[in-house]
Amino acid sequence: MLSLIAALALAPPPIDQPARLRTILSNGSVVLVEPHFEAKSITIDLFASSRGAEDSPKSHGWRHLLEHLLVRGRKGGVDARLEAVGGFLRAETLRDATAIELELPPDQLALGLEIVAEMLHYPEVTAETIKNEVPILKEEIAIEADSARLANAGWTANYAALGLDPLGDVARIAEATPEALTDLYIRHFRAPNLVLVISGPIDLDGGTKLGTELMARLPGSPVRLKGTPRVAHPQSKFDASAPGSAITIPVGPFDSRVTAATLAVTLVFASEHPGCFVTYTPSTQAGLITVGTATNRDLPALAITADADTFESLFDRGRRLAQGWLGRQMTDARSSTFLRGLLLVQSANATPEKLEEAVQHFTLEDYRAGIDAIKQGTVVRGNR
């Protein structure tokens, strides 16, 4: 039956189909199907909200460990099975969600959904399994990019325990037990926390039928866990185990005009100072924008104070840069549907279009508020 439905999903679409279809199931999970007939592959994204399963100082890194264990699949050998058909897997542990992505040839949709189904069943985990995974996680943490280290230091400086680096702490990871991971999986991968996104050269109705049949098998939950709201308590300065320096600015939800304006100011700043980077991951909660350099320990903090008037005069450029930044997130099927799924797993009403609207309509007053926010941001200085 699955193969028949897969064939249906690949059939030519009716010309009157909408661009995408979001389906909210009775068990609380969500399926989003977005056809992209120009794409050469099918992408399947599974998002699990961290709502109710957030990292704490005690469990710092357990979600990351769980991600590593799940992507093996219950049958094991997921990477080999994907490589055999020309597919591959990506996985990320983010603050707001765990994201698992499969990319496959268009005729391998059934295999992709079979692997996702495996990941929705908790694998057998022993103390030995955990022990063997710790060195792999340690190596991954050790090679974290300097820009990410600076940004993560800013998260901790502004949000304390609610701003922990999602990659985790090796010592805490080593303390995880099979029982603790089972409890974490139940809270993290419960149906109301899950979003499945299918995109690529796929018929909307056929893909939706496949996705909803898969997710409908999961037991529902009468209780929707609430996450812990992030509230910023900024420090003025903070050190990071990385070279360079950065300004980290706590912002509101992704669809706030001031958030969009603050992003615009930081992009202007980066355009005026070669070698600077800007990082921001849209969130329905309070978030963080980071602007910095991985080479100069003083540039951001000094330049923003000196050039505030210049930044205000570049209001129009800021909007264009913010529009360009968002456009780059939406340039292809993979990046646009990933962003759509990441927002959807946080809120059923969160869409990139709301961010686009905030970027299009922020005012000069919003922009000035962004300049002030940056001037008051936490300065993170590297120690090497």
Side-chain angles (χ1 to χ4, degrees):
M1 178 60 72
L2 186 60
S3 61
L4 291 176
I5 297 174
L8 174 63
L10 293 169
I15 60 174
D16 59 348
Q17 284 192 333
R20 65 188 64 87
L21 180 63
R22 182 197 68 176
T23 305
I24 302 176
L25 280 66
S26 59
N27 63 7
S29 63
V30 179
V31 174
L32 176 69
V33 176
E34 186 168 39
H36 287 277
F37 286 94
E38 75 284 0
K40 299 184 183 301
S41 59
I42 285 178
T43 302
I44 304 172
D45 289 288
L46 177 67
F47 294 90
S49 172
S50 59
R51 184 174 48 245
E54 297 92 344
D55 286 317
S56 70
K58 179 182 178 181
S59 65
H60 188 196
W62 291 5
R63 280 199 307 121
H64 189 194
L65 171 60
L66 183 61
E67 171 224 303
H68 273 233
L69 299 177
L70 288 178
V71 297
R72 297 176 175 180
R74 296 186 80 186
K75 297 179 182 179
V78 165
D79 285 338
R81 290 153 62 192
L82 289 171
E83 289 172 5
V85 299
F88 52 91
L89 178 148
R90 308 178 190 93
E92 249 184 307
T93 303
L94 307 169
R95 282 183 178 79
D96 291 316
T98 295
I100 299 171
E101 181 174 270
L102 307 177
E103 188 168 341
L104 306 110
D107 62 348
Q108 295 297 325
L109 180 60
L111 173 62
L113 292 176
E114 175 186 312
I115 290 173
V116 170
E118 286 184 40
M119 294 178 185
L120 291 172
H121 290 83
Y122 188 64
E124 181 180 351
V125 175
T126 65
E128 189 68 19
T129 306
I130 296 171
K131 181 179 179 181
N132 292 338
E133 201 66 32
V134 169
I136 299 172
L137 289 161
K138 181 178 181 179
E139 182 177 343
E140 186 175 333
I141 293 169
I143 61 173
E144 186 175 25
D146 291 330
S147 57
R149 290 181 186 275
L150 290 167
N152 284 321
W155 273 96
T156 302
N158 285 280
Y159 294 103
L162 293 177
L164 295 172
D165 183 350
L167 291 187
D169 177 85
V170 176
R172 300 291 79 77
I173 292 171
E175 294 172 353
T177 65
E179 294 77 18
L181 289 182
T182 300
D183 175 69
L184 176 61
Y185 177 83
I186 292 170
R187 288 182 285 115
H188 192 11
F189 279 78
R190 59 209 314 257
N193 271 12
L194 299 178
V195 170
L196 179 72
V197 182
I198 306 173
S199 68
I202 181 171
D203 173 62
L204 187 67
D205 294 334
T208 299
K209 182 175 177 63
L210 265 176
T212 55
E213 286 187 348
L214 171 60
M215 301 303 286
R217 301 172 192 167
L218 302 175
S221 172
V223 179
R224 185 178 180 86
L225 294 179
K226 294 183 178 180
T228 304
R230 289 196 290 256
V231 179
H233 299 285
Q235 301 183 36
S236 59
K237 293 184 180 180
F238 202 81
D239 292 331
S241 58
S245 61
I247 300 174
T248 58
I249 311 104
V251 292
F254 78 102
D255 53 356
S256 158
R257 288 190 333 211
V258 173
T259 297
T262 305
L263 176 62
V265 179
T266 60
L267 291 169
V268 168
F269 178 93
S271 72
E272 291 288 296
H273 298 87
C276 279
F277 64 85
V278 174
T279 62
Y280 173 61
T281 301
S283 176
T284 59
Q285 287 205 64
L288 194 79
I289 296 176
T290 300
V291 55
T293 169
T295 58
N296 190 316
R297 297 187 72 244
D298 299 311
L299 174 62
L302 294 177
I304 191 64
T305 301
D307 296 349
D309 292 340
T310 299
F311 293 142
E312 183 169 330
S313 71
L314 297 175
F315 172 80
D316 290 332
R317 186 204 286 184
R319 192 189 306 281
R320 290 195 301 272
L321 289 171
Q323 290 171 331
W325 176 88
L326 181 57
R328 288 190 294 276
Q329 314 310 309
M330 305 295 289
T331 51
D332 60 35
R334 175 181 174 259
S335 60
S336 65
T337 53
F338 185 91
L339 175 59
R340 199 171 292 279
L342 179 61
L343 290 172
L344 185 57
V345 80
Q346 298 176 62
S347 170
N349 298 314
T351 66
E353 285 75 20
K354 291 188 175 182
L355 174 56
E356 183 178 31
E357 183 177 349
V359 168
Q360 289 176 345
H361 295 102
F362 67 75
T363 64
L364 181 58
E365 183 178 355
D366 299 324
Y367 191 76
R368 288 169 176 160
I371 294 175
D372 289 340
I374 295 173
K375 290 168 67 176
Q376 296 167 18
T378 297
V379 175
V380 174
R381 293 199 173 189
N383 57 14
R384 57 183 172 87

